[in-house]
Amino acid sequence: MPQLFRGLSGRLLWLTIVFVMLAEILIFMPSVAGMRMNWLRDRLDTAAAAGIVIDGLQPAELPRAVQDDTLLATGTKVIALRKDGTSRLLAAVDVPPQIDEQYDLTDTPLLVTMRDALDTLFLGGGRVMRIYGPIGESDMIIELVMTDDALRKDMLKYAKMMFLLSLLISIITAVLIFLAINRMMILPIRRLTKSMQKFSEQPEDPARVFTADRSRGELAVAGRHLSAMQTELQRTLKQQRNLADLGLAVSKINHDMRNILASAQLMSDRLTDVEDPMVRSFAPKLLRTIDRAVGYTTEVLAYGQASEAAPKRRRILLAELFQEVRDILAIDPDAGIEFHDQIAVDLEVDCDSEQIFRVIHNLCRNALQALVTFEPDDKSIARRITVSAHRVGSVVSIMVDDTGPGMPRKARENLFSAFRGSARSGGTGLGLVIARELVLAHGGTIALVEKPTEGTQFRIEIPDRPVSLDDYRARA
């Protein structure tokens, strides 16, 4: 329980008590001022009743004993009646030499009564005051002279009673507010906090994901967001674990594959010595392919460890690069898939040929895999891969378009995300991730283009390298 009151709910309880007491203080000031005015009016009304009786006995003089009883009953020292412009002393005893305060009860503003009440409450005692006011609707005015001792004593009793009552009300109000807010806010917040603590201890455990309710409150919304965040974090951790496992597996495969490719490279070098024309035509392409594979195995771990190597850029003919892609794809003529190359023979691009080859080859291979298993409803639609490119200023734009089924919605939402952006079952989505990284290394962009017809279209934009002033002067 002590720990409870040191927390947020405990501070809320004390703040509620303090605020209610402050509100009661604001209520207390006009309340005690009203009590004082009622007290004075009661004395004035009592003296007025006695004064009318005494005034009716004129011209006889009131006996001394009766005057003392009247003064004792009203708690005053002097009672005077003002009538027809003249004042008559009705009763008096121990007339004080001076008057300290005068109060007109005819029509006193609230702020003045509050000021006078506080003055009497905190500074009063032993002071002589003169009080006067009209008697009913008549033009007679009754005047009293009395000390403020009895008034201050009654005001202190009233203030004490008000303080205790205010304290009781504030405590009851604070407890009710405390119980209500503790149930509506503090307990749900503690539940969220405990869930975060449990989840941080073992984030891989699905049982530790926060279970949110379906209400519309702000805390319920926060709970649903927390649950979604924890679920997404678990998915990310699983992907990272998959990446780590994949990196370990690739490192093992890479070690053996590099040895195998090295042996294949040595054997393929002998093909150049064969006199067969067919072998001679395919030997250079085979050698380039094996060399490229050896280069891939050397750099394959860069993605998992840090990043791809910096591009070794030079100006190349884009048409020749796409011819290599076409040769590697080796589309079967009987497959019914067309490959259209719409690239000018003299179009140059400033890039790393090996890296951009990987990007273009990956996109074309994905398009080919999608078209192999795709049968369009409209038989007049040809299954086609179209590659086009053009230069605008210092930027070369490359388009890879196909007439396949298009990318699924999940793949679109997780485009360029490893293990989530694959368009086919069993895929990892790493191809697009690596392609994006290579394009970004060139300072370019790669994006999926929305098209009105079926199929998938990617646009790659590769800018030329900026020419430094020193290089420009050297060329000039």
Side-chain angles (χ1 to χ4, degrees), residues 21-41:
M21 289 298 295
L22 290 176
E24 291 292 338
I25 289 175
L26 296 178
I27 298 173
F28 169 77
M29 294 177 62
S31 177
V32 74
M35 175 266 172
R36 174 179 171 277
M37 290 297 294
N38 291 334
W39 192 93
L40 293 175
R41 286 196 179 98

Side-chain angles (χ1 to χ4, degrees), residues 368-380:
L368 178 60
Q369 291 173 344
L371 289 171
V372 166
T373 58
F374 175 63
E375 290 294 337
D377 296 333
D378 188 354
K379 299 302 180 180
S380 64

Side-chain angles (χ1 to χ4, degrees), residues 290-410:
I290 293 178
D291 290 342
R292 186 175 285 122
V294 172
Y296 289 172
T297 58
T298 303
E299 301 176 358
V300 71
L301 295 181
Y303 175 77
Q305 294 177 347
S307 61
E308 293 285 346
K312 299 176 181 178
R313 304 180 68 161
R314 60 186 180 86
R315 285 189 170 271
I316 63 171
L317 291 174
L318 194 58
E320 295 180 358
L321 183 66
F322 274 101
Q323 184 60 43
E324 288 190 46
V325 172
R326 180 196 290 269
D327 295 340
I328 294 297
L329 288 177
I331 301 176
D332 187 356
D334 298 331
I337 299 175
E338 303 174 7
F339 190 96
H340 287 190
D341 182 352
Q342 301 176 356
I343 301 175
V345 294
D346 59 346
L347 178 60
E348 291 185 336
V349 59
D350 183 13
C351 68
D352 185 315
S353 59
E354 289 299 323
Q355 292 187 357
I356 296 303
F357 173 87
R358 293 167 62 185
V359 174
I360 303 301
H361 178 259
N362 178 73
L363 295 178
C364 292
R365 185 188 59 199
N366 289 346
L368 178 60
Q369 291 173 344
L371 289 171
V372 166
T373 58
F374 175 63
E375 290 294 337
D377 296 333
D378 188 354
K379 299 302 180 180
S380 64
I381 298 178
R383 294 185 296 168
R384 181 185 301 116
I385 300 174
T386 304
V387 179
S388 60
H390 64 277
R391 173 179 286 275
V392 178
S394 62
V395 178
V396 174
S397 178
I398 306 170
M399 305 290 288
V400 179
D401 189 10
D402 66 66
T403 58
M407 298 191 72
R409 179 180 177 182
K410 181 180 178 182

Side-chain angles (χ1 to χ4, degrees), residues 153-189:
K153 181 179 179 181
D154 289 344
M155 289 179 65
L156 288 173
K157 289 181 180 180
Y158 180 81
K160 181 179 179 181
M161 181 189 68
M162 285 291 295
F163 172 77
L164 295 177
L165 182 61
S166 300
L167 183 61
L168 179 62
I169 292 174
S170 64
I171 292 175
I172 294 174
T173 304
V175 169
L176 292 176
I177 294 176
F178 168 79
L179 294 176
I181 295 184
N182 193 61
R183 179 178 178 83
M184 293 186 296
M185 292 183 58
I186 305 302
L187 293 180
I189 290 176

